[in-house]
Amino acid sequence: MFWPLTLLGALAGLLLASIPGALLGGLLGQVLDRRLQLRSWADLRLRMGGKPVLGEQELLFVLLGRLAKSGGAVRPAHIQQAREEMRRMQLDGPAQQRAVEAFNRGKTLADDVRRSLQPLRGQNVAAEGLLCACWRLVWAAGQVPPPARELILAWGQWLGWRRAAVLALEAPYVRRASGVVRSADAELEALRLLGVSSEASPAQIKQAYRRLLSRHHPDKLAGAGAGAARLREATEITSELHRAYALLRQRRSLR
């Protein structure tokens, strides 16, 4: 481990007041290194980059947004899983709105996530929670695109985790190796996609389907002047909603 401010403080102290100055400067530098969690020159450069470090909650949803977009198009399963994380964290209305904004911003690649991950190095509980949430999101859609896996592995490295340790966190979320989804799993996936529980009534399922369809329908976005990429994304989301509802109509004899 290398402490950049410790070295700079010691050198400055040596120039100003010989050996006693070097000892004092090194001590003060080490205090700053520990407080700022600087372990290398790269850490120091990131700290001096000018962009603010994101808080843990904001950082989480920026990462989730980036993962959701890494496969090309954000899928309804990704959006629903992000909502699940909000519920898991018991976020209130304003906090949920900030989370949505962070998720959308994550899709734009605007934030320097590496700089924001650096303060969490050594905080194993916080880092593990962050990485597990990332694995939950990418597996929510049933498969993990290679770019998404590489992102999570890179983030784990920036957090100071070994590759094997990051991959070990994925294990609880991995689907069956054959990729075959059982019938019961398909129904649960459809319910989760619509944002309703397994105990939902036919009326609740239909209401959730219509609400999501209205929100994501490409015709609605076209009237609002959305771009081509957003329209393609909306078309894919709408298709998944149709498939989920069709499966539930068949399994639950919905009218």
Side-chain angles (χ1 to χ4, degrees):
M1 187 177 297
F2 177 73
W3 304 95
L5 294 183
T6 301
L7 177 60
L8 291 176
L11 290 175
L14 182 65
L15 292 174
L16 293 173
S18 190
I19 294 178
L23 293 174
L24 178 60
L27 178 61
L28 293 175
Q30 188 172 65
V31 170
L32 289 173
D33 277 329
R34 292 183 181 276
R35 177 166 297 182
L36 298 175
Q37 299 196 22
L38 303 178
R39 298 175 175 84
S40 66
W41 290 114
D43 289 350
L44 181 59
R45 287 195 297 271
L46 287 171
R47 280 286 183 177
M48 298 176 65
K51 292 185 178 180
V53 174
L54 302 176
E56 287 185 35
Q57 180 178 303
E58 184 180 13
L59 173 62
L60 169 62
F61 288 97
V62 165
L63 295 180
L64 296 184
R66 189 161 299 185
L67 285 172
K69 190 65 175 176
S70 65
V74 178
R75 303 179 64 181
H78 296 141
I79 296 172
Q80 185 60 34
Q81 183 58 41
R83 294 196 184 103
E84 288 292 336
E85 297 300 333
M86 294 180 203
R87 283 194 283 270
R88 183 187 297 269
M89 299 168 69
Q90 299 182 332
L91 301 186
D92 59 17
Q96 288 185 18
Q97 182 59 39
R98 290 193 294 272
V100 170
E101 292 170 357
F103 183 86
N104 290 332
R105 201 170 68 244
K107 296 184 290 185
T108 68
L109 311 182
D111 293 283
D112 183 356
V113 297
R114 181 169 187 170
R115 183 165 184 259
S116 295
L117 286 167
Q118 291 297 320
L120 296 179
R121 288 177 65 96
Q123 299 186 32
N124 289 337
V125 174
E128 181 175 343
L130 204 67
L131 293 170
C132 285
C134 289
W135 284 124
R136 283 194 293 271
L137 181 115
V138 293
W139 275 107
Q143 58 183 351
V144 182
R149 175 170 277 109
E150 290 307 312
L151 279 176
I152 297 175
L153 290 172
W155 296 340
Q157 181 182 11
W158 296 345
L159 287 166
W161 285 52
R162 297 191 308 274
R163 182 184 180 93
V166 179
L167 288 173
L169 295 179
E170 181 187 17
Y173 313 107
V174 177
R175 299 294 182 92
R176 291 167 52 178
S178 62
V180 177
V181 180
R182 295 171 299 177
S183 175
D185 287 342
E187 183 172 344
L188 289 175
E189 174 68 13
L191 290 167
R192 190 190 57 74
L193 183 62
L194 296 180
V196 296
S197 69
S198 57
E199 294 79 25
S201 68
Q204 289 172 323
I205 293 174
K206 184 179 294 186
Q207 182 182 26
Y209 166 67
R210 288 177 175 174
R211 182 179 66 252
L212 291 171
L213 198 62
S214 175
R215 180 186 302 167
H216 296 292
H217 202 285
D219 289 347
K220 183 176 180 180
L221 294 175
R230 183 69 183 90
L231 288 174
R232 284 195 301 271
E233 180 180 315
T235 300
E236 293 180 12
I237 291 174
T238 300
S239 296
E240 292 202 25
L241 292 172
H242 286 321
R243 287 194 293 269
Y245 187 67
L247 184 143
L248 292 172
R249 285 186 64 185
Q250 179 183 17
R251 300 283 174 80
R252 298 198 170 200
S253 301
L254 302 180
R255 295 183 180 275

